Amino acid sequence: MLDLRVPDGRAEAPGPPWHVALFLAAVASAVPLWCARFLPLADLPQHVAAIGILRHWWDPAFHLGDRYSLNVGDSQYFVYHAAGAVLSAVTGSAESANRVLLTAVAIAFPYALRSLLSAFGRDERLALFAAPAFWSAPLMMGFVPYVAAVPVATWAVALFVRQARHPSRAGHVGLACVACLLFSLHLSAYLVFLGCVVLVAFPLYRRPAKIARALAWVGPSALLTVAWALRGSLAVPSVPKPESAQVAWTSTRTLVQQLPIWAHDIWRSHVDEGCAVVLSVALVALALQRGRAPEDRWLARAAWAPLAFAALAYCFLPYNVGPAVMLDTRMATFVILFAPLVLAPRPGLAGTLPLVAVFASHLVGVVDSVIEVRRTESEELGEVDRLLDRIPAGARVLTLPVHLTSRHTHWPPWVFLGSYHVARAGGEADMSFTRIRHWPIRDRPSVEDARRPLFWTLAPCTFRNAYDGPSADYLLVRASRDILRGHPQGPAWRRLDQQREWSLYEREPGEEWSGAGERADPGPCAKDDDVDPSPASQDK
């Protein structure tokens, strides 16, 4: 076992064994990212597709300019996708570039918290709590630009605290640049950063005039925010106005009860829950201790500000504003990340044993994530790459996950699987986030299909061949049986290949099915007795 103890009175300067433990914890967080070809992160294929489109934007073979337009001004994700596009030129693909980016983010989590702990004069060993925070509900939902913005925002708060303690003109310029970067990386993390620095500024500066001068660097990013808001970036043209403006809230009581779930419950197995219990016990054990606190009492008070703001954001933000969802619950990551800022472990075993437990439980959680990632891919996808490789460049793909749920994850992980085709070979994939106004790439008006509401593929049973079939060249279907077995009225299809529950259908050129005796299309979720069994309705 690594000796994580530090000499009495030197909590701010842990020794080499602690550095080794932090490095191992940080690297371990990234290991599950490399254990499967396809990661079960729900929105991940959409982000990979955006990276692929940006990388091949000027490639005439992809014909992207005919279908999409760049949307830099309205997007808060552009930095992540642009970085991935540049990196993909080195790694060779958008998928590998995204994996490298996520690896850097995983490693950055504990080191960003370490920087913030150091800025507040707290025990840097507490950065171990940040390593398990990477594998969380936002990551499983595939909110990768947000997850990437979390350590950047944490490090930016540390930069502000150091600027407050040792002011410099270069520090003001750096904060202005970081704020603009955060705005273009993810708006939620940018708002957390601003809220934290405002609360931190009160105990550090204490006078309104000094606070105003200290926050002057906010100006450029604030102008970007105002310009973005005035352009109506939350509106979605393809969705009726009442739906695009819809705001929903989660009760504070429910949020408080579910904080551990949103922070750490990511798999259907119970290993992650056991690890969360260990983390909670360690946090409580350290909270009951009264170790060495910063000598500056105002700095000690300021250390509470990030946690206070994260908790307020978690409890009082809406759940969704139009298509932007989980605005409140995703703040659980910041709550967990900032909680160690208020701890003061005692020197010796009393302060060391809880940290050893955190380190050990994190490694157990990583092993569990490796197992679950591999099982999810093996059992639910198999060699699905074979199906994706049969889709030609520039084709339009409709993904229909009739079987939505997963035996391993709490959220449907494969809803947007067809978007990998866009990353590799261009074309279109529905449902595509290119219909959302704050996405960095938008459908051109002539291409955008407004017939269906956003995220309609989350209700695949509503698919009707005569209505939805003509807009696709290929169907990528996850179902336990042939959903087109009754030859419903509309385009004619033939099944090209099948892997596990996944089937790839190709539309027959120039052919249409007249329907089973002009009966209404029962849809892909109909029971067998809802389908016409006559010979005319059987597969060719």
Side-chain angles (χ1 to χ4, degrees):
M1 181 183 296
L2 289 171
D3 184 6
L4 301 184
R5 292 176 294 179
V6 298
D8 291 356
R10 294 187 57 209
E12 72 281 1
W18 179 88
H19 294 292
V20 173
L22 187 66
F23 175 77
L24 291 177
V27 172
S29 297
V31 170
L33 300 173
W34 297 90
C35 293
R37 182 72 178 83
F38 296 96
L39 296 171
L41 313 181
D43 289 356
L44 182 64
Q46 298 281 0
H47 296 287
V48 173
I51 291 173
I53 290 175
L54 289 176
R55 182 198 176 193
H56 297 287
W57 185 254
W58 289 278
D59 188 340
F62 280 67
H63 303 288
L64 297 172
D66 300 335
R67 305 185 182 202
Y68 306 105
S69 61
L70 293 179
N71 186 40
V72 178
D74 279 342
S75 175
Q76 299 86 57
Y77 305 148
F78 184 76
V79 167
Y80 184 89
H81 295 146
V86 173
L87 187 59
S88 67
V90 178
T91 64
S93 71
E95 295 167 60
S96 58
N98 179 76
R99 207 179 300 261
V100 171
L101 282 178
L102 283 179
T103 299
V105 172
I107 294 174
F109 259 68
Y111 284 100
L113 181 58
R114 176 191 174 188
S115 178
L116 188 55
L117 288 163
S118 175
F120 279 122
R122 296 286 180 169
D123 193 330
E124 294 179 22
R125 297 177 301 166
L126 294 167
L128 283 170
F129 278 97
F134 173 72
W135 284 92
S136 60
L139 179 67
M140 299 304 295
M141 292 297 293
F143 299 162
V144 290
Y146 172 77
V147 175
V150 169
V152 177
T154 304
W155 174 77
V157 176
L159 184 63
F160 175 76
V161 175
R162 291 190 173 91
Q163 172 66 12
R165 300 177 68 182
H166 306 287
S168 69
R169 182 172 299 179
H172 280 284
V173 174
L175 283 167
C177 294
V178 170
C180 292
L181 173 71
L182 264 175
F183 172 81
S184 299
L185 185 55
H186 202 282
L187 182 62
S188 294
Y190 169 73
L191 294 178
V192 169
F193 166 59
L194 287 188
C196 288
V197 299
V198 169
L199 289 187
V200 167
F202 278 96
L204 293 184
Y205 291 98
R206 297 188 287 282
R207 295 181 182 178
K210 287 187 176 181
I211 293 174
R213 287 195 297 270
L215 297 177
W217 51 266
V218 174
S221 61
L223 290 176
L224 288 176
T225 306
V226 171
W228 170 80
L230 291 177
R231 283 196 298 267
S233 297
L234 290 180
V236 182
S238 59
V239 180
K241 189 173 181 180
E243 183 176 342
S244 66
Q246 181 183 8
V247 179
W249 304 79
T250 307
S251 71
T252 303
R253 180 179 180 181
T254 300
L255 287 170
V256 172
Q257 293 174 341
Q258 295 186 350
L259 177 61
I261 296 175
W262 289 111
H264 294 299
D265 188 11
I266 56 177
W267 306 111
R268 290 190 181 274
S269 67
H270 299 300
V271 176
D272 52 350
E273 294 163 328
C275 293
V277 170
V278 174
L279 290 176
S280 300
V281 171
L283 193 67
V284 171
L286 292 173
L288 295 175
Q289 299 181 17
R290 292 293 183 269
R292 183 180 180 183
E295 296 179 359
D296 186 337
R297 63 188 178 94
W298 292 105
L299 187 64
R301 293 174 182 177
W304 285 81
L307 176 60
F309 185 84
L312 290 172
Y314 177 75
C315 292
F316 297 109
L317 280 177
Y319 177 81
N320 78 282
V321 178
V325 297
M326 286 181 64
L327 299 178
D328 52 0
T329 54
R330 69 178 66 183
M331 292 296 159
T333 303
F334 277 110
V335 174
I336 298 301
L337 198 63
F338 291 155
L341 293 174
V342 302
L343 302 178
R346 288 201 301 262
L349 287 177
T352 300
L353 290 180
L355 294 174
V356 172
V358 170
F359 179 76
S361 68
H362 173 58
L363 296 185
V364 172
V366 166
V367 172
D368 180 54
S369 291
V370 168
I371 294 172
E372 294 297 333
V373 164
R374 292 176 64 86
R375 283 180 177 174
T376 307
E377 180 186 51
S378 174
E379 296 175 11
E380 298 176 4
L381 292 183
E383 299 297 327
V384 77
D385 246 336
R386 191 180 70 214
L387 275 61
L388 292 170
D389 289 341
R390 297 195 65 172
I391 304 175
R396 299 172 297 174
V397 182
L398 173 60
T399 305
L400 283 176
V402 176
H403 182 186
L404 266 176
T405 59
S406 169
R407 291 184 292 272
H408 299 279
T409 67
H410 294 294
W411 300 275
W414 313 120
V415 177
F416 308 117
L417 188 66
S419 292
Y420 284 114
H421 160 70
V422 178
R424 299 175 180 181
E428 302 172 36
D430 204 7
M431 165 22 212
S432 174
F433 286 6
T434 53
R435 291 177 57 192
I436 302 176
R437 182 164 289 178
H438 62 267
W439 204 247
I441 300 102
R442 292 291 315 282
D443 289 337
R444 288 192 177 277
S446 59
V447 175
E448 185 175 279
D449 183 0
R451 297 179 304 161
R452 286 289 195 177
L454 286 172
F455 309 116
W456 76 271
T457 50
L458 287 171
C461 294
T462 63
F463 171 82
R464 295 297 180 268
N465 188 43
Y467 185 74
D468 301 299
S471 63
D473 301 316
Y474 291 82
L475 298 179
L476 187 60
V477 180
R478 184 189 183 193
S480 57
R481 57 187 174 182
D482 183 3
I483 68 166
L484 299 171
R485 62 198 180 284
H487 287 183
Q489 185 174 4
W493 301 88
R494 67 185 182 98
R495 184 154 58 181
L496 288 180
D497 204 346
Q498 186 174 9
Q499 177 62 211
R500 294 286 193 276
E501 292 183 315
W502 291 91
S503 297
L504 179 66
Y505 295 85
E506 180 183 45
R507 191 174 67 179
E508 297 278 14
E511 291 190 29
E512 283 203 6
W513 292 330
S514 61
E518 302 301 324
R519 294 178 60 190
D521 184 353
C525 302
K527 298 178 181 179
D528 289 332
D529 53 7
D530 292 330
V531 179
D532 188 349
S534 63
S537 69
Q538 301 305 305
D539 291 343
K540 295 180 180 180

